[in-house]
């Protein structure tokens, strides 16, 4: 009896424990469920908020958006403030740049010189100012995108644009608006893909230059006749009849010859200056080199060793008389500025780019380096006395320079005092012709 009571009690206790345990488990489960729900809601809220801040930052990064100052604390606010500050700085900087660009454009637009931005690849007009419209007859916006060569046609402009020469302006270009309007064009590096062409009205300058040229040509021409008469009479004088006159007559003949040469050189120079192109043909170099040798030998009178090296085996395309005049000026200088027993070598060779080069090398006095940039100027002499003594007019190298420029060639000078000089006429491949023999 007692035993069954005990058992019943134990059983009831266990049942109670079980109920309590289940109740506790249910309560904990419910609690956990609620907690999870709260956690889920909280996480969703945090995610939505983060997404919203991220969206704001991305809107800030899009720089077309109107910006607002950021208030608040935390990582997102710090990030937004940073982006806001960057964007504000960038906007201020770009506003400054736009203002600067406008000022530059304004300055370029009001400049009296024409300014044109041209693409380097196809010479197409990208931008031009008011003066360019006036000077070249350009039309906005129709001329945009057209080639500069359509406005200024001709091989001279084409060659100049192709050369990319930013050092020397192209002078005396006729305006397409009016033939009498003379322009100078200057090429400037604007960007890796574009040139800036500056167009200047040089009509007045060209007119003055023409007056100067005409004056020199007229004076030279007027001097020619009296000089021929003086020269003629001097030649007729026989100093043998009165030997005391012999030195004076000799000196007078020498001076009148110098003057004749000076007048001839001045006339040649003004003729070259007034021409934009020459009558051109194939110049056969073999007979020309033989003539140069003959001239050198006549001038040297056996005092120098003269060598002609014809390595190019090609001819030149150009003006025969003018090229001959340029080459013989260089040969004459080499003989005149080389002491007795020296050597003069004329070498005609090809250049690596397919062009040709006629070099006159001497073992003469040489030219100090500081004089080299100026020796092609009219009447510029390194030593006036030596030039006069040797019968120089001071115009030889100016003639050479002009002849070469009319052939799109260049003069290269290499000289060392006491060792000699090399004057080389360099021609582009377009001037080379195969030899006809
Ligand atoms: P010039 O008639 O006086 O020779 P150029 O114009 O031919 O005038 O030459 C200008 C100057 O350059 C000369 O006066 C001379 O001083 C110098 N020069 C020219 N060629 C040579 C040369 N081969 N060697 C040394 N000096 C030279």
């Amino acid at each position: 009896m007692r035993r069954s009571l005990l058992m019943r009690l134990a059983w009831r206790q266990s049942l109670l424990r079980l109920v309590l345990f289940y109740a506790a488990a249910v309560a904990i489960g419910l609690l956990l469920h609620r907690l999870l729900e709260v956690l889920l809601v909280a996480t969703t809220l945090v995610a939505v908020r983060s997404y919203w801040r991220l969206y704001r930052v991305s809107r800030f990064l899009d720089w077309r958006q109107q910006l607002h100052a950021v208030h608040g604390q935390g990582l997102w606010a710090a990030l937004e403030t940073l982006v806001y500050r960057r964007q504000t700085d960038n906007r201020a900087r770009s506003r400054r740049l736009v203002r600067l660009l406008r000022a530059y454009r304004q300055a370029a637009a009001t400049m009296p010189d024409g300014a044109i931005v041209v693409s380097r690849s196809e010479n197409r007009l990208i931008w031009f100012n008011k003066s360019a419209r006036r000077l070249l007859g350009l039309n906005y916006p129709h001329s945009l995108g057209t080639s500069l060569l359509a406005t200024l046609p001709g091989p001279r402009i084409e060659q100049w644009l192709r050369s990319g020469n930013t050092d020397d302006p192209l002078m005396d270009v006729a305006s397409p608006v009016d033939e009498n309007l003379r322009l100078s064009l200057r090429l400037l590096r604007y960007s890796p893909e574009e040139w800036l062409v500056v167009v200047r009205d040089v009509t007045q300058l060209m007119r003055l230059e023409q007056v100067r040229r005409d004056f020199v040509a007229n004076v030279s021409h007027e001097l020619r006749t009296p000089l021929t008469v003086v020269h003629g009479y001097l030649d007729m004088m026989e100093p043998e009849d009165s030997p005391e006159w012999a030195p004076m007559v000799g000196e007078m003949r020498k001076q009148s010859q110098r003057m004749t040469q000076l007048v001839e050189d001045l006339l040649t120079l003004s003729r070259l200056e007034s021409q934009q192109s020459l009558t051109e043909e194939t110049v056969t170099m073999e007979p020309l080199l033989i003539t140069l040798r003959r001239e050198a030998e006549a001038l040297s009178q056996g005092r120098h060793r003269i060598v002609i090296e014809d390595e190019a085996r090609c001819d030149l395309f150009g003006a025969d008389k003018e090229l001959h005049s340029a080459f013989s000026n260089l040969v004459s200088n080499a003989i005149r500025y080389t002491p007795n027993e020296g050597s003069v070598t004329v070498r005609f060779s090809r250049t690596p780019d397919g062009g040709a080069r006629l070099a006159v090398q001497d073992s003469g006095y040489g030219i100090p380096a500081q004089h080299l940039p100026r020796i092609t100027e009219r009447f510029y002499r390194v030593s006036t006395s030596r030039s006069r003594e040797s019968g120089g007019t001071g115009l030889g190298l100016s003639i050479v320079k002009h002849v070469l420029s009319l052939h799109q060639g260049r003069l290269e000078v290499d000289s060392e005092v006491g060792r000699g000089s090399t004057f080389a006429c360099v021609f582009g491949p377009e001037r080379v012709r195969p030899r006809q023999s």
Side-chain angles (χ1 to χ4, degrees):
M1 174 71 194
R2 200 179 172 93
R3 203 166 162 248
S4 74
L5 187 73
L6 274 173
M7 271 189 64
R8 223 181 302 144
L9 267 174
W11 168 243
R12 207 177 290 164
Q13 210 170 358
S14 302
L15 200 72
L16 195 71
R17 266 194 205 142
L18 203 68
V19 168
L20 277 175
F21 177 74
Y22 270 116
V26 168
I28 288 171
L30 279 173
L31 212 68
L32 272 176
H33 188 254
R34 193 41 45 116
L35 209 67
L36 269 175
E37 267 177 12
V38 169
L39 220 65
L40 198 71
V41 169
T43 317
T44 311
L45 279 175
V46 168
V48 167
R49 190 166 177 272
S50 299
Y51 182 79
W52 167 242
R53 302 303 287 261
L54 191 66
Y55 172 71
R56 271 178 57 136
V57 171
S58 76
R59 264 165 57 101
F60 274 23
L61 286 172
D62 178 358
W63 94 305
R64 277 163 304 192
Q65 289 293 326
Q66 185 71 37
L67 305 183
H68 301 286
V70 181
H71 304 287
Q73 284 179 341
L75 199 62
W76 283 110
L79 187 65
E80 282 172 15
T81 309
L82 206 69
V83 174
Y84 170 73
R85 239 184 263 146
R86 281 273 159 89
Q87 295 286 29
T88 317
D89 286 354
N90 279 349
R91 284 189 159 231
R93 196 174 306 131
S94 58
R95 264 198 301 273
R96 256 198 324 273
L97 282 175
V98 167
R99 266 202 305 274
L100 208 65
L101 198 69
R102 275 211 197 109
Y104 275 127
R105 289 238 159 158
Q106 184 87 21
T110 51
M111 240 170 34
D113 292 341
I116 311 170
V117 177
V118 178
S119 73
R120 290 197 192 192
S121 52
E122 290 175 299
N123 306 317
R124 303 224 167 263
L125 307 188
I126 295 168
W127 177 85
F128 48 81
N129 67 354
K130 255 194 208 137
S131 302
R133 288 188 222 174
R134 180 176 51 83
L135 295 171
L136 297 178
L138 297 176
N139 198 314
Y140 186 83
H142 304 294
S143 302
L144 286 178
T146 60
S147 169
L148 181 64
L149 293 171
T151 309
L152 292 169
R156 194 167 158 239
I157 314 275
E158 196 179 341
Q159 212 265 329
W160 172 74
L161 274 171
R162 209 169 337 111
S163 75
N165 180 355
T166 49
D167 296 331
D168 312 301
L170 186 70
M171 292 300 284
D172 204 15
V173 176
S175 159
V177 181
D178 176 2
E179 260 290 295
N180 297 318
L181 197 65
R182 310 308 290 186
L183 308 172
S184 87
L185 307 180
R186 177 158 227 136
L187 215 52
L188 301 173
R189 282 189 189 93
Y190 186 66
S191 77
E193 291 86 32
E194 290 147 353
W195 292 118
L196 175 68
V197 180
V198 178
V199 187
R200 182 166 291 177
D201 180 356
V202 286
T203 314
Q204 205 60 21
L205 193 75
M206 286 296 118
R207 211 165 280 153
L208 284 174
E209 184 67 8
Q210 189 60 43
V211 169
R212 183 195 62 78
R213 272 205 296 263
D214 289 350
F215 175 76
V216 174
N218 289 339
V219 169
S220 313
H221 199 74
E222 291 303 320
L223 281 174
R224 221 182 198 176
T225 321
L227 263 175
T228 317
V229 175
V230 172
H231 211 62
Y233 280 124
L234 280 173
D235 276 348
M236 281 163 62
M237 284 173 91
E238 296 295 342
E240 288 82 34
D241 304 340
S242 36
E244 69 274 19
W245 283 91
M248 278 173 269
V249 171
E251 187 56 26
M252 275 152 72
R253 276 186 190 152
K254 204 173 130 200
Q255 292 303 330
S256 86
Q257 256 159 14
R258 247 198 87 212
M259 225 162 145
T260 310
Q261 188 56 50
L262 189 65
V263 166
E264 289 307 322
D265 279 0
L266 277 172
L267 281 170
T268 308
L269 205 54
S270 49
R271 190 168 45 78
L272 288 171
E273 280 178 335
S274 61
Q275 277 169 312
Q276 295 217 331
S277 63
L278 302 163
T279 316
E280 297 180 336
E281 59 191 320
T282 300
V283 180
T284 46
M285 288 303 287
E286 215 173 349
L288 181 56
L289 290 169
I290 293 170
T291 311
L292 288 179
R293 175 195 282 279
R294 240 195 342 261
E295 286 171 356
E297 282 169 353
L299 204 63
S300 161
Q301 297 285 317
R303 293 176 292 125
H304 306 89
R305 198 170 75 88
I306 293 154
V307 182
I308 304 279
E309 292 175 2
D310 185 4
E311 297 164 0
R313 317 290 322 150
C314 67
D315 287 332
L316 286 177
F317 186 70
D320 187 53
K321 203 167 130 237
E322 281 72 16
L323 285 177
H324 178 196
S325 152
F327 300 156
S328 67
N329 262 312
L330 294 183
V331 171
S332 152
N333 281 355
I335 300 279
R336 289 188 295 116
Y337 298 111
T338 301
N340 294 352
E341 311 304 325
S343 68
V344 172
T345 306
V346 179
R347 187 174 296 116
F348 184 47
S349 58
R350 297 295 294 270
T351 55
D353 69 343
R357 183 174 191 268
L358 187 127
V360 181
Q361 185 179 6
D362 64 54
S363 61
Y365 305 118
I367 304 165
Q370 72 270 24
H371 292 283
L372 288 178
R374 297 194 60 192
I375 52 167
T376 55
E377 286 175 20
R378 263 165 272 192
F379 298 114
Y380 189 85
R381 286 145 168 148
V382 176
S383 155
T384 315
S385 57
R386 193 177 277 163
S387 166
R388 289 234 171 86
E389 229 169 74
S390 65
T393 59
L395 296 170
L397 291 181
S398 295
I399 293 175
V400 174
K401 195 178 138 193
H402 271 85
V403 170
L404 290 183
S405 116
L406 285 166
H407 288 83
Q408 296 78 46
R410 62 177 195 278
L411 180 68
E412 285 179 358
V413 187
D414 185 20
S415 189
E416 202 180 319
V417 176
R419 300 199 68 146
S421 319
T422 303
F423 285 77
C425 305
V426 184
F427 301 93
E430 71 284 356
R431 291 277 161 196
V432 173
R433 293 287 177 280
R435 196 165 281 185
Q436 308 287 334
S437 61

